[in-house]
Every structure is written in C-alpha cells, then in structure tokens.
Amino acid sequence: MKYPATIKAYAKLNLTLDVLGRRADGFHELCTIMQKIELFDELSADFGCNGVSVRADTELPPNSVAYRAAYEYCRRTGAGGASITIRTHIPQMAGLGGSSADGAGVLQLMQQHYGAMDEAELFALAAELGSDVPFLLGGQLALCRGRGEIMQPLPPREFYYVIVKPAQGISTRELFAALKPPYAPPRSNAALDAILRGDNAALCANVSNALAPAAEERLGEIAAIKRRLLAAGALAAEMSGSGSACFGIFPNMAKAQAAKAAFADMPWCHICKSVHGMV
Ligand code: C5P
C-alpha cells in the first residue's frame, strides 16, 4: 500500500451562510464561506476484504454518509471492498459537518488505495453524498455556492475558535424545511471582500448565518451562547451551519482559553484553529 490507511477527517464551520432561495429540486441555494478546522474524526481502512463495512464508536444511522461513500465508490469503479473504522470527535447534529467529514474521509481513503476515479468523478460523488462533502474533501477556506459544491478557494485566515454545543442538536433537514422567506440579507460577498483585503475586522463584522433566526426560535440557548461568547471577548460569534453548535472567533490561543473557562457548564466546548497548509 502506498499511503498509510489512516486519516484525519476535519470538521468545518460556516463564517457566513446566506440562503438565496429555494430550488426546484427542493434544496436551498446557498452562498457560504466555509473554514476547515482542527477538529477531526479519525478514520482507518482495511482493504483486505470483500464488501463494505463501517464501524464507529458512536451510533451511525443505517445508511450513513460514510457507508454510502464506500459502497458507491466500489459500485461505480468495481474496486474491491473496504472495512472502515471511525473514531469520532466531531459532535453530531452540530452544524460542524461531522457525518460529511466522515464521508469525505472515506472517499479520500478509497481514492488513495484504489485510485479508480478521476477528480471530476470523485467530486461528483462527493456532491451526491451531501452538500458539505465536496468542501470537506477538497477545501480549507472557500466561498461555496449552489448546494456548496461550487467552490472558490480563499487565502487562509489564522483564527482560534471556541466552539460550544448545547446538549440538544438540530436536524438540518427539519431546519431547512421550516425556513420561510424573506431570508436574511446576504453578507458573504462583503466577508469575501474582507478576506481578500486581509481585513479581519470587516470579516468579523460580516460573520452571519441566515439559518440562525429559525434555529434560535427552536432552541433559545443558541442566542444565549452567542451573547456569552461575545461577552467572553469573541471578535464575532455565530451558529455554524444548521446548528446547534456556535463559535466565537479569537485572535490567539490565550484569549480563546480564557473564554473557554466561561463555558464550564456546557456539555461540549472545544478550542481549535483554522486548518491551512498541508495536512
Ligand atoms: O445535503 P445534506 O445531506 O447535508 O442535506 C440535508 C437536508 O437539508 C437535505 O435533504 C435538504 O432537505 C436540506 N438542505 C437544503 N438545502 C441545502 C442543503 C440541505 O434544503 N443547500
């Protein structure tokens, strides 16, 4: 085997998330700036078997993204099987892309071992598996459009994040289904300009999430966590994706650590930084 069959499958957070409208296929047209973060599941693969199996240290849904990724890769290419093991650290129903990260990680493992798809086929499969899978397969900081599969890579921003997740999660499907226009005004282009200018203050001023009002209606704790992150010194605070995790942006580790101390009462609180460069 050419590569070690163990990888880190990184999570993401959404620095901005605009909902532009509902599409004919039932999905919503998005414009979102996604950042890959140093929070990851660990995936390993054994290729000495036929068929596909996925085991994890937490319960996976019957047709998990990870399973479908391995199954579809084999079905489409005729590649042999894989036995995948997942050690999870990314919380579920958090808006951090946990199940999509696992799907992207499986595709990466399969491709490293079998090399049976070209890049276009691999990204097409990623997009079918879930809206965040293409970014998690190939991005670090990017403006993503469509369902998320049209990516414009952006220059890196070095930030530290304090991420706080309440006990209750949110279903992406249910939140989108409950979403009604008018949607919040788009902020991604202003944030994009700020990133391209290297203007962190303007970027932080445009951190936003059009799904947050609907999520806060369901789970009031989200607004409270955002307020607490700002009170703890965050340059900006917002919900990630469809929630329920929220993040605060900090300029350095010391400030992030000081802020984390204010969340000892929360079930899950994690500090991490942006992923960039070779990983
Ligand atoms: O693509 P993903 O599996 O993450 O999406 C979960 C559900 O969220 C979709 O089935 C769809 O109902 C909703 N969704 C949407 N518009 C998007 C992404 C997701 O309506 N851009």
Side-chain angles (χ1 to χ4, degrees), residues 29-238:
E29 188 71 12
L30 303 182
C31 186
T32 174
I33 296 178
M34 288 205 263
Q35 171 70 67
K36 201 175 272 183
I37 51 172
E38 283 275 358
L39 165 68
F40 51 83
D41 287 348
E42 294 163 274
L43 271 65
S44 56
D46 178 353
F47 295 104
C49 58
N50 284 318
V52 166
S53 68
V54 178
R55 288 185 298 151
D57 56 3
T58 52
E59 200 181 327
L60 293 177
N63 212 8
S64 68
V65 183
Y67 178 82
R68 285 190 286 126
Y71 177 85
E72 280 300 320
Y73 190 98
C74 292
R75 190 183 69 78
R76 293 177 191 200
T77 62
S83 171
I84 310 282
T85 305
I86 304 176
R87 197 164 162 223
T88 54
H89 305 285
I90 309 170
Q92 295 292 311
M93 296 180 86
L96 299 173
S99 50
S100 300
D102 294 346
V106 168
L107 289 184
Q108 196 185 328
L109 283 167
M110 300 299 282
Q111 182 71 351
Q112 279 180 357
H113 185 73
Y114 292 112
M117 283 190 173
D118 64 30
E119 198 173 296
E121 288 169 322
L122 195 66
F123 276 87
L125 172 53
E128 284 176 45
L129 291 169
S131 305
D132 297 333
V133 182
F135 171 75
L136 290 168
L137 184 64
Q140 294 193 338
L141 176 64
L143 179 79
C144 304
R145 299 176 190 275
R147 275 173 58 201
E149 76 285 7
I150 306 163
M151 289 188 276
Q152 174 185 346
L154 299 175
R157 295 281 86 198
E158 176 93 20
F159 283 131
Y160 290 79
Y161 304 96
V162 175
I163 309 176
V164 182
K165 185 186 171 292
Q168 198 178 321
I170 292 182
S171 150
T172 304
R173 184 184 301 270
E174 282 175 27
L175 190 66
F176 272 110
L179 201 63
K180 299 272 178 298
Y183 308 116
R187 308 267 291 274
S188 295
N189 282 336
L192 170 68
D193 287 347
I195 291 173
L196 296 176
R197 288 198 312 271
D199 183 343
N200 284 346
L203 169 59
C204 288
N206 284 290
V207 164
S208 55
N209 186 335
L211 297 175
E216 286 165 16
E217 248 173 56
R218 299 176 152 231
L219 193 55
E221 236 179 319
I222 289 170
I225 291 170
K226 282 162 55 174
R227 279 195 300 272
R228 286 176 63 185
L229 282 162
L230 291 172
L235 302 172
E238 193 42 277

